Structure formats: C-alpha cells, structure tokens
C-alpha cells in the first residue's frame, strides 16, 4: 500500500474527492530554528511537516480545505522566538502553532500563544512538565524526559551490563538538566551508582570528563545539546575514556558524523524512531522522505514534524471544524494514534503522549537500531 493511501486510512482523514472548498485554507503557524546553531535539529522537522502537508493536500485537504503552513524562522534566538510566536498567535484564523524541538525555545514561544487561547504543539521538546506550565492549550508530540531517561538507564544497566556511571551535565539548558536528573534517579533505581558528576556550560572549552579514574567507571552519561556532542565525545575519547557513552535524543543529530572515526565507537542514545527499524510505516516514511528531499531523514525530528501535522489534521477532522477550542478538545481525547514515531495517546488530563523509546547505536558513521523500550 502506498504511503499516502496508508496514512489517509490510518488517520481517518475525510478527503474531498474533487476540488478544495473555495479558496479557503486552514492556517497553521510553524516555528522552527531554520538558521543558527539549533537548525541541525529543527530543519529536519520542518521538512517532515512539509511532507505531511503535501500528502494531506494531494489527498483533498482537511475538511475539503487546503492546509497552509505559515512558517517563521526563530533564528536560534530566544527573543526572536518570542516575537515570532506572538506574531503568529495574533494572525487571524490561525488554528494552532506547532514546531520547535528544544525546551528553552518552547518556553519562549508558548506563553504568547497559549495566552491567546491558541493551541501550541511542540514537535520535539521533551520536558514533561511543559503542559502543566502552559495550560490546556499546550500539547507534546514527543515522549517526556522521564520516559527517555528511564529507557536509557534501563538499557545501560541491563543491556550494557554497567554499574558505575559518570554524569556530565550542561547546566545552561533546561532539557539537559532535566534529562540528567531523571537518568540519575532511574539508574540508581535499577541498581547502578553515580560515582562522579561534572556540571558545565554549553560551548565551554573545558570538556566534561571523569576526574578520578580509580572508581571503576564503566559508563558515561553525557547530557548535552546537539552542537556540543561531537566535540565533547571526541575529547573524552582522546583522553582515553573508552567506556560506552549514552545520552538522550539530543544526540540524534547528523553532527555525530563530525567525530573522527577512531573515536566514534560505543555511542548510544534514546530517540523517537530508528530509521532502520523494519516496521513498515517507518520504512514507507523513509522512502517517501528520500524521494521528496533527495536524502534520507537526518534524525527522528523529521518524523516528529510529520507526526505533529498528521496528529493535528486528525484532530481537526474529528472536531469537524477548524475552531481552536473544539480542536483542542479533540486533541485531548486522542487515543491509539499511530504515527511514524509509534502508537501513542494522551491519558486523561495529560497532554504528554505515552510512547515507545528507540535505542540507537552510533559507530563509525552508522546509526543502527538496537531495541525498543515500552512505556510503563
């Protein structure tokens, strides 16, 4: 079955058999860092959204109306993000604002959107407290940091058979601080110990590494943002630390290919989808993305962008009208949605989806699926 037909059936889109209803469109605002240091994780998400939009519109649109993405580049700047969010939320007929993969940028964008009673769906931010911070109009497409930290801790303790960890944490970013907190809690719960911790600021030339090698450290957990990951991994390996290095979805970036081959071994991270996972929907997505953009999807954030648009489209169809309040209610009732990043739903009163977590290994320029860990 072709990708377009499969997705139309799975998401129950009520497609018009002929032309769009007049010239009207359903307008959705999109925020991404398309330039600057955060573009490495956001650009794939934007392309995933463009692909979803094309599939929807080629099938007749939503409620017989064409989907229009109104895109703003946040330029990897928090002030620019807040201004762009306010401008989008103030536009007439905007049903929702979607996008952004980093927690700090989402925290700049969400207040002016949700304050206007406009839906905000973050495609990739993972701090699970965000919906509680910004109210009933705020939704997440990605799993929470507590879930991915649990998956990494479980994998590290049981699959990698480690017991003594070093934890390096970037304290200049909310995502990295939250991820480390939950990893330490879970790793200890599974019977491991945190022997040493180092806190550092993003961009520093002093890389985070264990100070005392006599503690038999057999695992390094490095919580960093994508631009820093290759540099710090390289420095750790140069210094002779050959233990497995693990992290969360901040490592899901093509930037890892900047690590010299002799140092790019035993690197594992949690992410939203592994593209060599044989699941048919994943492989259909990879094939269609490659045909559209001339390259395979660079990270799981591409699929999250795609799933965010499809999730919203399904909610609008179920609401029967492009009204933010009715669409919000439909979103909150989502159960059994199947996306490229897995099955998920929103438990009653919770706008963080319950989803599986994929563990990926990076070694010598190759990303490979290791295992999938189910939620609690």
């Amino acid at each position: 079955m072709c990708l377009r037909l499969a997705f139309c059936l799975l998401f129950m889109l009520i497609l018009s058999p002929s032309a769009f209803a007049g010239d009207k469109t359903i307008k959705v605002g999109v925020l991404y860092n398309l330039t600057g240091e955060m573009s490495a994780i956001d650009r794939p998400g934007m392309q995933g959204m463009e692909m979803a939009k094309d599939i929807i519109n080629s099938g007749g649109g939503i409620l017989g109306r064409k989907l229009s993405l109104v895109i703003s580049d946040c330029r990897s700047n928090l002030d620019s993000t807040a201004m762009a969010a306010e401008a989008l939320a103030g536009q007439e007929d905007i049903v929702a604002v979607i996008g952004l993969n980093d927690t700090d940028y989402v925290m700049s964008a969400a207040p002016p959107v949700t304050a206007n009673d406009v839906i905000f769906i973050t495609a990739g931010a993972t701090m699970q407290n965000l919906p509680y911070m910004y109210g009933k109009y705020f939704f997440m497409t990605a799993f929470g940091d507590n879930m991915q930290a649990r998956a990494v801790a479980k994998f590290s303790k049981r699959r990698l058979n480690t017991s003594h960890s070093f934890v390096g944490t970037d304290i200049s970013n909310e995502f990295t601080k939250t991820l480390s907190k939950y990893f330490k809690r879970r790793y200890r719960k599974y019977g491991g110990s945190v022997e040493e911790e180092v806190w550092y600021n993003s961009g520093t030339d002093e890389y985070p590494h264990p100070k005392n090698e006599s503690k038999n450290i057999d695992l390094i957990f490095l919580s960093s943002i994508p631009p820093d990951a290759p540099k710090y991994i390289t420095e750790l390996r140069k210094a002779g630390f050959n233990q497995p290095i693990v992290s969360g979805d901040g490592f899901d970036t093509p930037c890892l290919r900047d690590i010299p081959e002799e140092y790019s071994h035993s690197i594992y991270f949690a992410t939203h989808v592994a593209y060599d996972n044989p699941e048919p929907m994943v492989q259909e997505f990879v094939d269609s993305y490659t045909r559209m953009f001339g390259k395979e999807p660079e990270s799981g954030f591409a699929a999250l962008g795609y799933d965010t648009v499809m999730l919203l489209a399904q909610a609008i169809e179920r609401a029967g009208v492009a009204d933010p309040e009715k669409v919000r209610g439909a979103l909150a009732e989502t159960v059994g949605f199947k996306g490229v990043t897995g099955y998920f739903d929103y438990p009653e009163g919770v706008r963080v989806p319950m989803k599986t977590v994929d563990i990926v290994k990076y070694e010598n320029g190759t990303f490979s699926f290791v295992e999938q860990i189910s939620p609690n």
Side-chain angles (χ1 to χ4, degrees):
M1 182 179 290
C2 74
L3 185 69
R4 178 165 68 87
L5 179 58
F7 286 172
C8 288
L9 291 173
L10 286 166
F11 298 141
M12 300 177 291
L13 295 179
I14 306 170
L15 302 179
S16 168
S18 56
F20 295 114
D23 294 325
K24 291 184 178 180
T25 62
I26 292 178
K27 293 166 58 179
V28 175
V30 176
L31 293 170
Y32 271 128
N33 292 299
L34 302 177
T35 55
E37 66 175 4
M38 299 306 293
S39 64
I41 63 169
D42 277 4
R43 274 193 167 277
M46 183 70 256
Q47 292 177 321
M49 287 190 178
E50 289 173 340
M51 178 176 154
K53 180 200 71 174
D54 286 356
I55 289 172
I56 289 169
N57 288 341
S58 67
I62 305 171
L63 302 175
R65 295 163 63 184
K66 187 176 182 179
L67 174 64
S68 174
L69 300 181
V70 184
I71 303 165
S72 288
D73 178 10
C74 298
R75 300 182 292 172
S76 298
N77 179 279
L78 294 175
D79 291 335
S80 296
T81 301
M83 289 188 289
E86 186 172 5
L88 283 177
Q91 285 196 30
E92 187 177 0
D93 297 330
I94 286 284
V95 178
V97 176
I98 61 179
L100 292 173
N101 293 319
D102 179 79
T103 295
D104 282 7
Y105 289 90
V106 169
M107 291 174 71
S108 289
V113 176
T114 56
N116 280 304
D117 294 343
V118 174
I119 298 163
F120 188 101
I121 310 175
T122 170
T126 49
M127 193 169 83
Q128 70 275 5
N129 293 332
L130 289 170
Y132 306 103
M133 294 167 62
Y134 299 115
K136 66 180 183 178
Y137 286 91
F138 189 101
F139 293 81
M140 292 169 56
T141 303
F143 45 59
D145 284 324
N146 55 342
M147 290 306 304
Q148 67 167 325
R150 168 187 170 272
V152 173
K154 183 177 182 180
F155 172 80
S156 299
K157 186 69 183 68
R158 299 179 179 178
R159 181 75 176 263
L160 296 180
N161 195 30
T162 66
S163 298
H164 308 282
S165 68
F166 162 81
V167 175
T169 305
D170 174 5
I171 58 172
S172 63
N173 188 285
E174 287 299 325
F175 155 67
T176 49
K177 290 187 292 185
T178 303
L179 185 64
S180 276
K181 177 179 73 173
Y182 283 105
F183 171 80
K184 289 183 289 185
R185 182 181 300 176
R186 283 293 185 170
Y187 191 68
R188 287 168 175 146
K189 184 174 181 178
Y190 289 129
S193 63
V194 178
E195 301 291 345
E196 189 177 347
E197 295 184 61
V198 170
W199 294 268
Y200 62 95
N201 285 295
S202 176
T204 181
D205 291 331
E206 295 184 6
Y207 66 93
H209 67 282
K211 301 292 192 299
N212 187 346
E213 296 181 61
S214 66
K215 294 181 178 178
N216 298 318
I217 290 169
D218 54 12
L219 179 76
I220 294 174
F221 180 84
L222 193 60
S223 192
S224 74
I225 60 174
D228 288 337
K231 175 177 66 174
Y232 293 139
I233 292 172
T234 298
E235 293 301 324
L236 280 164
R237 293 292 190 233
K238 281 183 178 178
F241 295 100
N242 291 311
Q243 301 94 330
I245 296 175
V246 298
S247 192
D249 65 334
F251 269 29
D252 189 358
T253 166
C255 296
L256 290 188
R257 291 197 169 95
D258 294 337
I259 302 170
E261 185 172 327
E262 63 267 32
Y263 302 131
S264 62
H265 61 85
S266 303
I267 301 167
Y268 302 88
F269 58 87
T271 193
H272 310 273
V273 60
Y275 290 123
D276 61 337
N277 185 329
E279 207 279 331
M281 194 169 180
V282 174
Q283 293 311 307
E284 289 172 359
F285 174 81
V286 172
D287 290 345
S288 294
Y289 187 100
T290 303
R291 285 196 301 270
M292 183 169 183
F293 298 107
K295 59 183 177 181
E296 293 186 353
E298 299 95 324
S299 67
F301 296 108
L304 282 174
Y306 180 93
D307 282 353
T308 300
V309 172
M310 288 298 191
L311 172 69
L312 179 61
Q314 187 207 50
I316 296 171
E317 289 285 354
R318 286 191 285 113
V321 62
D323 174 75
E325 180 57 36
K326 292 184 178 180
V327 175
R328 183 204 64 77
L331 270 173
E333 294 172 355
T334 298
V335 176
F337 175 84
K338 184 177 182 182
V340 179
T341 59
Y343 283 99
F344 65 98
D345 55 41
Y346 294 115
E348 185 175 356
V350 180
R351 296 174 303 283
V352 184
M354 296 293 289
K355 297 171 65 180
T356 55
V357 179
D358 282 4
I359 302 295
V360 171
K361 181 178 183 179
Y362 177 73
E363 188 154 311
N364 299 329
T366 300
F367 295 90
S368 56
F369 174 62
V370 179
E371 70 174 282
Q372 190 171 84
I373 297 177
S374 298
N376 287 336

